[in-house]
Amino acid sequence: MWMEIDLQSEVPIYTQLVDQLIEGIASEQLKPGDPLPSVRSLAADLGINLHTVNKAYQVLKQDGFLQVHRKQGVVVQPGGMPGTDAAFRAKLARGIRSLAAEAAVRGMSETEFAEQSAAVYRQLTTKGEDAK
Amino acid sequence: MWMEIDLQSEVPIYTQLVDQLIEGIASEQLKPGDPLPSVRSLAADLGINLHTVNKAYQVLKQDGFLQVHRKQGVVVQPGGMPGTDAAFRAKLARGIRSLAAEAAVRGMSETEFAEQSAAVYRQLTTKGEDAK
Amino acid sequence: MWMEIDLQSEVPIYTQLVDQLIEGIASEQLKPGDPLPSVRSLAADLGINLHTVNKAYQVLKQDGFLQVHRKQGVVVQPGGMPGTDAAFRAKLARGIRSLAAEAAVRGMSETEFAEQSAAVYRQLTTKGEDAK
Amino acid sequence: MWMEIDLQSEVPIYTQLVDQLIEGIASEQLKPGDPLPSVRSLAADLGINLHTVNKAYQVLKQDGFLQVHRKQGVVVQPGGMPGTDAAFRAKLARGIRSLAAEAAVRGMSETEFAEQSAAVYRQLTTKGEDAK
DNA sequence: GTGGTCTAGACCACC
DNA sequence: GTGGTCTAGACCACA
């Protein structure tokens, strides 16, 4: 598996997992319908507890990014991803505001900030190209 | 004081304080050298614990946004704000990556995302105009 | 066969089967004495496991809705259905209580709830009319 | 605490907790803003694990029935309960359909069924009167 | 073998 | 003291 966990990080392990799985979908390394490793095998691969993996899967299921089948395991949501609903836009605005404020204080200009945002977005969504 | 605390939020109170103080500096409602309320008075104003305010001030001092004098109290860093050092750029990239990935998955385009970033930045830095 | 299985559902497949067979009897699409498909053929039709179909049949046999003959196969109970015994009334009360409580909390009135119950009952028992 | 857990039941403990808490709100034994016991104390009271209590609280928080504060613990949602949204109406219809089908098969009439529904609803919402 | 549930015990951040 | 997170190990229902 192409995931990496930083056990020393202050950000919870399950959150790291959630982020990386979303990035995997964004970069099309994970496509709708693709199967994901079972909680047990992924936990073993990463050297963490299966409950931690399970929590990440539950969060993503809750948000509509994954489906958990009774027996076949976990798959990437096949029928289209959830859109930019109000909850997400609020979350996005909050996240950007916090980052933008500190960037502004540290002297980064509006265009620099916007370009940085665009650059990170582009890098993410074209990461999958390397794998081809 | 123009700060608002959401006790129900999942984000720690001291973090909300830190964010709002940084936003205050970004919008120039707080200028270099400006005095900040004492730990005691701010805590009383907001109805929160002394330790919580103190922690926020310590974090901001640590990052170089504030100066804490034993006797004269707390002031906004008078000698220029810290710049965009490597640590910040890393933190910024991480923050944006997480947001950008979810935005991409939810169908938001690169330009939409960049424009949203610019819009939030602009709104922040021009908020102070109202107060004039 | 007119049954539909939702593999993504959180409710077990065998429970979905049980429910739909009971609904079939309620709507008189299945009448006392009617033969049911063999475990093998139904499993094949629905693309599920033999054991799953078998478990559903066993549950229904246990409750007295079906008769399972070693050789002749499975038939809908010919000699009258079981009545509203104490066990069922308890199960019914438990089920309704859980639904009614959430309905009440969400602001649905008693009459609304009762009418919804009646409406669903009526829809079920008249569904068979279409097939005629 | 007025809750009772049946460890032998096939229904998960956390689900029993969820149901009873919703019933408590429906009967106004729990009013908006009321504090709930901490996960630790409730777990100790009921003789179960704190994680089990926590799961119940998380489910109810997710559905908007509870708020979890950082430190004051858990309280009943003060600002109005969630309404009868599409998700709930679907869940309600599914639940009633399953019960109504079996009731019909067992010979319970539509009016009996509707009256039983109304009776259970009324008993729930007037239970709080006893406590007065 | 899969996820779901439960237990037990631990450490941490927050306040 | 509160909830949040993580680990470890267990049993069960489902398929």
Side-chain angles (χ1 to χ4, degrees):
Chain A
M1 202 68 187
W2 35 266
M3 255 172 291
E4 286 179 10
I5 295 300
D6 177 7
L7 296 175
Q8 313 307 325
S9 169
E10 61 179 354
V11 31
I13 296 176
Y14 83 87
T15 304
Q16 296 181 42
L17 275 174
V18 167
D19 283 346
Q20 296 202 22
L21 287 168
I22 292 181
E23 290 174 23
I25 300 174
S27 66
E28 298 192 332
Q29 290 173 292
L30 289 175
K31 295 188 180 58
D34 279 0
L36 265 59
S38 76
V39 288
R40 279 177 175 78
S41 67
L42 183 52
D45 270 14
L46 299 173
I48 60 179
N49 192 281
L50 84 172
H51 291 116
T52 307
V53 175
N54 193 49
K55 175 150 187 180
Y57 279 177
Q58 290 303 320
V59 168
L60 289 165
K61 169 192 171 189
Q62 172 61 37
D63 281 357
F65 296 127
L66 298 184
Q67 273 186 359
V68 179
H69 289 64
R70 286 211 123 349
K71 157 143 188 194
Q72 298 101 313
V74 182
V75 301
V76 179
Q77 179 77 13
M81 291 293 157
T84 57
D85 54 22
F88 173 67
R89 299 197 84 96
K91 174 184 163 191
L92 180 63
R94 254 184 296 120
I96 294 182
R97 187 163 60 242
S98 172
L99 294 169
E102 186 164 351
V105 170
R106 286 177 182 273
M108 186 179 280
S109 73
E110 181 185 318
T111 50
E112 262 184 296
F113 183 72
E115 279 168 10
Q116 172 73 357
S117 296
V120 171
Y121 182 110
R122 195 173 320 120
Q123 186 209 331
L124 262 174
T125 49
T126 53
K127 190 188 283 179
E129 312 293 319
D130 307 345
K132 288 182 184 175
Chain B
M1 202 69 187
W2 34 265
M3 254 174 292
E4 286 178 9
I5 295 299
D6 178 7
L7 294 175
Q8 270 97 67
S9 168
E10 61 183 355
V11 28
I13 296 176
Y14 87 90
T15 304
Q16 295 182 42
L17 273 171
V18 166
D19 282 347
Q20 297 204 23
L21 287 167
I22 293 181
E23 289 174 24
I25 301 174
S27 67
E28 297 191 331
Q29 291 173 291
L30 289 174
K31 293 189 180 59
D34 279 0
L36 263 60
S38 75
V39 170
R40 272 188 172 69
S41 69
L42 183 51
D45 267 16
L46 298 174
I48 59 179
N49 196 293
L50 291 177
H51 299 12
T52 309
V53 176
N54 195 49
K55 175 150 188 179
Y57 279 177
Q58 290 305 319
V59 168
L60 288 164
K61 172 192 170 193
Q62 179 63 31
D63 280 357
F65 297 126
L66 298 182
Q67 276 186 1
V68 179
H69 299 88
R70 186 80 46 189
K71 296 284 169 66
Q72 296 102 314
V74 183
V75 300
V76 178
Q77 182 65 260
M81 288 294 157
T84 58
D85 55 23
F88 172 68
R89 299 199 82 96
K91 175 184 161 191
L92 179 63
R94 253 184 297 120
I96 295 182
R97 185 163 60 241
S98 172
L99 295 168
E102 186 165 352
V105 171
R106 286 179 183 273
M108 186 179 280
S109 73
E110 182 185 317
T111 51
E112 263 184 296
F113 184 71
E115 279 167 10
Q116 171 75 354
S117 297
V120 172
Y121 183 108
R122 194 172 322 118
Q123 187 208 333
L124 261 174
T125 49
T126 53
K127 188 188 285 179
E129 312 294 318
D130 306 345
K132 286 183 185 174
Chain C
M1 202 68 187
W2 34 265
M3 255 173 292
E4 286 179 8
I5 295 299
D6 179 6
L7 294 174
Q8 271 96 69
S9 170
E10 60 183 356
V11 29
I13 296 176
Y14 86 92
T15 304
Q16 297 182 42
L17 273 172
V18 166
D19 282 347
Q20 298 204 24
L21 287 167
I22 292 181
E23 290 175 23
I25 301 174
S27 66
E28 298 192 330
Q29 291 173 291
L30 289 175
K31 295 189 180 58
D34 278 1
L36 263 60
S38 75
V39 171
R40 272 189 172 68
S41 69
L42 183 51
D45 267 17
L46 299 173
I48 59 179
N49 196 294
L50 291 177
H51 298 11
T52 309
V53 176
N54 195 51
K55 174 149 190 179
Y57 280 176
Q58 289 306 319
V59 168
L60 288 164
K61 171 192 170 194
Q62 178 64 31
D63 281 357
F65 296 126
L66 299 183
Q67 276 187 1
V68 180
H69 298 88
R70 186 80 47 191
K71 295 284 171 62
Q72 295 101 315
V74 183
V75 300
V76 178
Q77 181 66 258
M81 288 296 156
T84 57
D85 55 22
F88 172 67
R89 297 198 83 95
K91 176 184 162 191
L92 179 63
R94 254 185 296 121
I96 295 183
R97 186 163 62 241
S98 172
L99 294 169
E102 186 164 353
V105 170
R106 287 180 182 272
M108 187 179 278
S109 73
E110 182 186 317
T111 51
E112 263 184 295
F113 183 70
E115 278 168 11
Q116 173 74 355
S117 297
V120 171
Y121 182 108
R122 193 173 321 120
Q123 187 208 331
L124 261 174
T125 50
T126 55
K127 189 188 286 178
E129 313 293 319
D130 307 346
K132 287 182 184 176
Chain D
M1 202 68 187
W2 34 267
M3 255 172 292
E4 287 179 9
I5 296 299
D6 177 8
L7 296 175
Q8 313 307 325
S9 168
E10 61 179 352
V11 31
I13 296 177
Y14 83 88
T15 303
Q16 296 182 41
L17 275 173
V18 167
D19 282 346
Q20 297 204 21
L21 287 167
I22 292 182
E23 291 175 21
I25 301 174
S27 65
E28 298 192 331
Q29 290 172 293
L30 289 175
K31 294 188 181 59
D34 279 0
L36 265 60
S38 76
V39 288
R40 280 177 176 77
S41 67
L42 183 51
D45 270 14
L46 299 174
I48 59 178
N49 193 280
L50 85 171
H51 291 116
T52 308
V53 175
N54 192 50
K55 176 150 187 179
Y57 280 177
Q58 290 302 321
V59 168
L60 289 165
K61 169 191 172 191
Q62 171 62 36
D63 281 356
F65 297 126
L66 298 184
Q67 273 187 359
V68 179
H69 289 64
R70 286 213 131 333
K71 156 145 188 195
Q72 295 103 311
V74 182
V75 300
V76 178
Q77 180 78 10
M81 291 293 157
T84 57
D85 54 21
F88 171 68
R89 299 197 83 98
K91 174 186 163 189
L92 179 63
R94 252 183 296 120
I96 294 183
R97 186 163 59 241
S98 172
L99 294 168
E102 186 165 352
V105 170
R106 286 178 183 273
M108 186 179 279
S109 74
E110 182 185 316
T111 51
E112 263 184 296
F113 184 70
E115 278 167 11
Q116 172 75 353
S117 296
V120 171
Y121 183 109
R122 194 173 321 119
Q123 186 208 333
L124 262 174
T125 49
T126 53
K127 189 188 284 179
E129 312 295 316
D130 307 345
K132 287 183 182 172

